[in-house]
Structure formats: C-alpha cells, structure tokens
Amino acid sequence: DQQVKQNSPSLSVQEGRISILNCDYTNSMFDYFLWYKKYPAEGPTFLISISSIKDKNEDGRFTVFLNKSAKHLSLHIVPSQPGDSAVYFCAAGGNRDDKIIFGKGTRLHILP
Amino acid sequence: GAGVSQSPSNKVTEKGKDVELRCDPISGHTALYWYRQSLGQGLEFLIYFQGNSAPDKSGLPSDRFSAERTGGSVSTLTIQRTQQEDSAVYLCASSLVAAGAAYEQYFGPGTRLTVT
C-alpha cells in the first residue's frame, strides 16, 4: 500500500513555462514533506520542504504547496529551465518517526 | 570530498553469492539510511542507524539482508545468497539528526547491483 503517490510517471514542459508536479499521500500522521531531485547515475538531492503548519514554501523558482484537507502537495517550477530535466521524488515523514517515505518519482523533461 | 560516498559503484554477482556494499557518510552526521531503488520503483527504505544502533530495521526485505555501522561512521550492507530480485540501485544517505528535526538527507551516488 503506497503511502506517497506520484501518479504521473513523466511530464514534458516547454522551456520557460511552469512545471507542476503533483503528489498525494494517505497517512494523516505525516507532518513534514520534501521534494528531491535526481539526475541519472547520481543520488537524489534535497530541493525544498514544507511542514504541515504551512501551506506554501517558496525558494527561488521552486514553490511547494500543501493542501492538508486533500492530502495533496505540488511542486511548481517557474520558469522551467533545461537543467530542471530530472526525476523528482516526493517524500513525507512524521515528527515522531525516524524515516521518510518516498514516492515513485516523476520524470520531468524540459523541451527547448 | 565532503559528500556521502559509496563503494563499489557497480557490482555484478552470480546468484547465490554474498555481497557487501559500503557507505561512508558525511563526517559528523549521526543518522545513516539505506534505501533500494528497483527498476521503475521509488526509493524503498531498508534500515536506519542512529549512531551505531539501528532503531528501525523494518524495511529489510528478508533475513538475507543485514547491515552494521561501526564507530558512528562507515556502514556496510550485506546481502547473503543473492537472488535476481535483489538487483537494484542501493542508496545510502546521512543526516545530522533524525526524528523531529532536520529531515534533509544527503545521498551518495548509489551502488548498482546486478545479480545474474
């Protein structure tokens, strides 16, 4: 039973436009959410996070939105750049637990 | 380098053999995690260390899998009697703290294990 779901295996976006990656979760005990980015043959790198007390966190071109009632979060990248082409993993954890649960990832292609 | 390192980067082994994968975390990081990424799958949690102890081994798929950490630093993941379904990329991550605080984990490049 997947607790963190990324339903889109891949997404293609024109350079300069907005990329929106979506993530759903089922465990209401999750209170901390993260996005990681992964290039081929490299380990994932931390991108941005949000705690459940917020509904938005922004860092440069990256913004994460959290909708607790819908158990949904999304990552917005604007404007999208070629270097953003990668696999993006959504992850969630609880402050009373030691591990975070990852989704299966969404492969983002930025088209020239 | 200051990052997490893993060795070997690639390992091809015959079914039934034992393999040992190594992780060197970032110096000073107390928490260490092992994950597995099979083809088309997300990152599957295997085991977590806080110092040298493993409070959570719940992700280990079977008793053929074991891990240890010595000196609060290097960790080894051992897979005995490897099976073809063990083929995956094994990722190690470390972080300064674990539960209740910073979740930012720093990942190594992974070890790609192929069991033939």
Side-chain angles (χ1 to χ4, degrees), chain A residues 31-32 34 36 38 41-46 87 89 93-105, chain B residues 33 35 37 40-43 45 48 55-56 58 91 98-110:
Chain A
D31 50 17
Y32 204 95
L34 311 94
Y36 280 81
K38 184 181 185 301
E42 294 182 13
T45 54
F46 171 77
V87 176
F89 289 99
N95 280 334
R96 284 159 292 281
D97 200 355
D98 294 333
K99 61 180 184 270
I100 55 175
I101 307 296
F102 284 83
K104 290 189 176 184
Chain B
Y33 304 79
Y35 296 88
Q37 186 180 18
Q41 300 297 310
L43 298 173
F45 169 82
Y48 145 74
D56 192 341
S58 63
L91 289 155
Y103 278 96
E104 184 175 343
Q105 297 179 11
Y106 295 81
F107 282 83

Side-chain angles (χ1 to χ4, degrees), chain A residues 17-19 21 61-62 75-80 84 88 108:
Chain A
R17 307 293 286 267
I18 183 170
S19 296
L21 298 112
R61 296 186 297 113
F62 302 91
L75 174 68
H76 292 211
I77 306 173
V78 55
S80 300
D84 297 331
Y88 290 79
L108 176 65

Side-chain angles (χ1 to χ4, degrees), chain B residues 9-110:
Chain B
S9 55
N10 275 287
K11 176 72 178 179
V12 180
T13 190
E14 290 180 357
K15 178 182 170 181
K17 302 274 189 180
D18 298 352
V19 294
E20 205 170 84
L21 312 179
R22 177 187 168 109
C23 172
D24 281 273
I26 292 173
S27 177
H29 279 194
T30 55
L32 186 147
Y33 304 79
W34 283 99
Y35 296 88
R36 175 170 76 173
Q37 186 180 18
S38 304
L39 192 62
Q41 300 297 310
L43 298 173
E44 177 189 2
F45 169 82
L46 298 178
I47 188 170
Y48 145 74
F49 288 92
Q50 180 65 278
N52 291 335
S53 63
D56 192 341
K57 304 179 184 179
S58 63
L60 293 177
S62 74
D63 59 8
R64 296 185 296 103
F65 287 73
S66 63
E68 64 174 15
R69 189 179 184 195
T70 54
S73 181
V74 172
S75 175
T76 53
L77 176 70
T78 302
I79 310 173
Q80 294 178 308
R81 304 180 304 282
T82 51
Q83 303 293 312
Q84 286 183 330
E85 62 262 27
D86 299 335
S87 296
V89 176
Y90 289 82
L91 289 155
C92 174
S94 70
S95 70
L96 268 175
V97 290
Y103 278 96
E104 184 175 343
Q105 297 179 11
Y106 295 81
F107 282 83

Side-chain angles (χ1 to χ4, degrees), chain A residues 68-87:
Chain A
K68 288 192 294 286
S69 60
K71 293 193 179 71
H72 178 84
L73 65 154
S74 60
L75 174 68
H76 292 211
I77 306 173
V78 55
S80 300
Q81 298 175 354
D84 297 331
S85 295
V87 176

